[in-house]
Amino acid sequence: MKILVLTLITNGPDPVTGRTPTPNARLHRVVDNAVLAEELGFDGYAVGERHERPFLSSAPPVVLSHIAARTSRITLFTGVTTLSLLDPVRAYEDYATLDQLADGRLELIIGKGNGAAQAQLFNVTTDDQWDRNAEGYELFRRLWREERTTWTGRFRPPLVDAETWPPPRQHPIRVWHGSATSKESVEVAARYGDPLFSANVTNPIEPYAELIAYYRERWAAHGHDPVDALVGAGTAAFHLAPTSQQAIEEFRPVYAARLAVAERFGLPTVFGDVEDFVERSSALVGSAAQIVDKVLRYQAVFGHEVLHLHLDGDGLTPRRQRAMLETFQAEVAPALRAAVPSRALAGAVPRDPDDARPADSTVGVAS
């Protein structure tokens, strides 16, 4: 099993201290966490995309570019790229540039997005977001594969023998389709033969299991070999401690803060209290052995090869967060990797001799 760390870069009052980090401090902690994830041996680091409070993740290509400069091995992910809001040409240019700067360590998870501010900021509504997502991906996909593109759609001006620049490092990049509760993104993934990443964070296991089964059914219906289907799945929370009792008590104020945010935004409450949340959701809150057991129980249903740990560090000091991740890598990750064979993620593409910068580079030297 491959294991990613994911952040949506939430930024609100810490559930323990009550203090809200400055945007500068919060964004730098995200980059530092990515460096830590590489140091500890995680397979990937994912940055989400949201365009409203309390998230600071409106520009994942910028954040990931800074992470690319601070790392050399870890695979970089988006989680997700809200393609329904973006011009596909502009998105291609951003991510092709990032793919070059990361030496080919980039994979994308795309989705329609679900924030309430989308209609106001981007004039994208529930009436057209699925059509925009499907059309945007059709063009985005072609841009990674074609030197020149002629294309016509509904939501942006047509292209006639258009050249997009720069070329990417990877030809093409792997694109996952993020899915929460709808079949539209599942159908697009199956049609193109792309992998599926189940959100798996809001509800109990049943609706996600149904969507993954539907993906495999549609995958086969589109003529793809079932062996080639590739699935990832998220987790609703992560908090590891020596015992389940300690983990739940430490996580209790974090969950209370989540419920308060949900109430403020008028979101439904699926799990009544923290015990119900830990029992019936995908949250990995407990001892190392309990976390291994829960992941493998979900994996037996989903058949997924990639897992993300949702980690924004709420309620944790940097030292406590590091200790928790170290324990995960020492006691949880080896068991998951041994039990679940998985395919490779994007890795650094070897440089050509012409890629090397001249030894006598004058960058930064005044003429």
Side-chain angles (χ1 to χ4, degrees):
M1 177 171 277
K2 297 295 189 291
I3 303 163
L4 322 178
V5 174
L6 175 138
T7 178
L8 298 177
I9 321 185
T10 55
N11 197 49
D14 185 274
V16 174
T17 67
R19 294 192 296 268
T20 299
T22 66
N24 182 275
R26 183 72 185 91
L27 288 166
H28 279 288
R29 185 173 183 182
V30 167
V31 176
D32 291 342
N33 281 345
V35 174
L36 174 63
E38 177 171 274
E39 175 190 336
L40 296 180
F42 284 88
D43 300 293
Y45 193 88
V47 173
E49 180 179 339
R50 296 290 184 91
H51 295 273
E52 59 191 330
R53 290 177 181 266
F55 306 100
L56 299 178
S57 51
S58 57
V62 179
V63 178
L64 287 168
S65 289
H66 193 32
I67 292 172
R70 294 276 308 277
T71 59
S72 60
R73 300 182 308 278
I74 197 166
T75 303
L76 308 180
F77 278 79
T78 60
V80 302
T81 295
T82 52
L83 201 55
S84 64
L85 311 183
L86 308 175
D87 178 81
V89 175
R90 176 74 259 187
Y92 164 82
E93 292 173 336
D94 285 345
Y95 285 111
T97 302
L98 174 55
D99 192 43
Q100 288 286 358
L101 290 170
D103 294 325
R105 291 184 287 131
L106 180 64
E107 299 200 15
L108 302 180
I109 308 174
I110 67 164
K112 65 171 181 58
N114 59 3
Q118 293 181 177
Q120 178 185 8
L121 295 177
F122 298 97
N123 196 33
V124 175
T125 69
T126 54
D127 294 330
D128 63 9
Q129 60 186 0
W130 285 114
D131 291 339
R132 287 179 178 273
N133 188 66
E135 179 183 291
Y137 181 58
E138 191 272 333
L139 174 56
F140 186 77
R141 178 183 175 85
R142 287 182 56 185
L143 294 173
W144 285 90
R145 290 163 171 78
E146 300 174 358
E147 292 186 3
R148 292 185 177 274
T149 302
T150 297
W151 175 90
T152 301
R154 292 172 53 199
F155 299 108
R156 62 147 288 131
L159 301 176
V160 179
D161 197 30
E163 182 181 34
T164 46
W165 203 250
R169 187 74 172 178
Q170 301 177 77
H171 298 276
I173 196 171
R174 178 186 282 164
V175 177
W176 302 69
H177 295 253
S179 170
T181 57
S182 59
K183 292 183 176 179
E184 285 87 345
S185 54
V186 172
E187 175 63 30
V188 173
R191 182 196 324 155
Y192 285 110
D194 293 333
L196 179 75
F197 215 109
S198 172
N200 192 35
V201 296
T202 306
N203 298 296
I205 191 172
E206 289 80 11
Y208 305 114
E210 291 175 6
L211 279 177
I212 291 172
Y214 179 73
Y215 167 69
R216 296 186 187 280
E217 173 189 321
R218 296 304 300 156
W219 177 277
H222 284 290
H224 306 301
D225 188 336
V227 174
D228 295 331
L230 179 58
V231 175
T235 55
F238 169 59
H239 195 98
L240 192 157
T243 67
S244 61
Q245 294 83 1
Q246 179 180 337
I248 289 174
E249 289 309 311
E250 290 177 350
F251 186 73
R252 191 178 299 278
V254 179
Y255 188 67
R258 288 191 182 190
L259 289 181
V261 170
E263 182 178 357
R264 186 165 72 248
F265 284 94
L267 301 175
T269 299
V270 178
F271 307 101
D273 55 32
V274 68
E275 285 81 7
D276 185 35
F277 177 69
V278 172
E279 175 65 26
R280 295 196 302 123
S281 81
S282 63
L284 304 181
V285 178
S287 67
Q290 288 170 320
I291 288 175
V292 169
D293 178 70
K294 191 168 196 178
V295 171
L296 293 182
R297 283 191 284 115
Y298 270 73
Q299 202 279 332
V301 177
F302 293 166
H304 59 297
E305 299 179 23
V306 181
L307 174 80
H308 84 51
L309 300 181
H310 193 147
L311 187 69
D312 275 326
D314 296 342
L316 299 173
T317 64
R319 178 179 294 181
R320 179 72 175 89
Q321 178 179 278
R322 181 187 183 101
M324 202 161 65
L325 293 173
E326 287 176 337
T327 302
F328 181 93
Q329 285 293 72
E331 301 181 23
V332 177
L336 298 182
R337 290 182 173 127
V340 183
S342 54
R343 280 158 274 196
L345 301 179
V349 177
R351 288 177 173 244
D352 295 327
D354 290 342
D355 287 337
R357 287 177 291 180
D360 60 347
S361 172
T362 57
V363 173
V365 178
S367 58

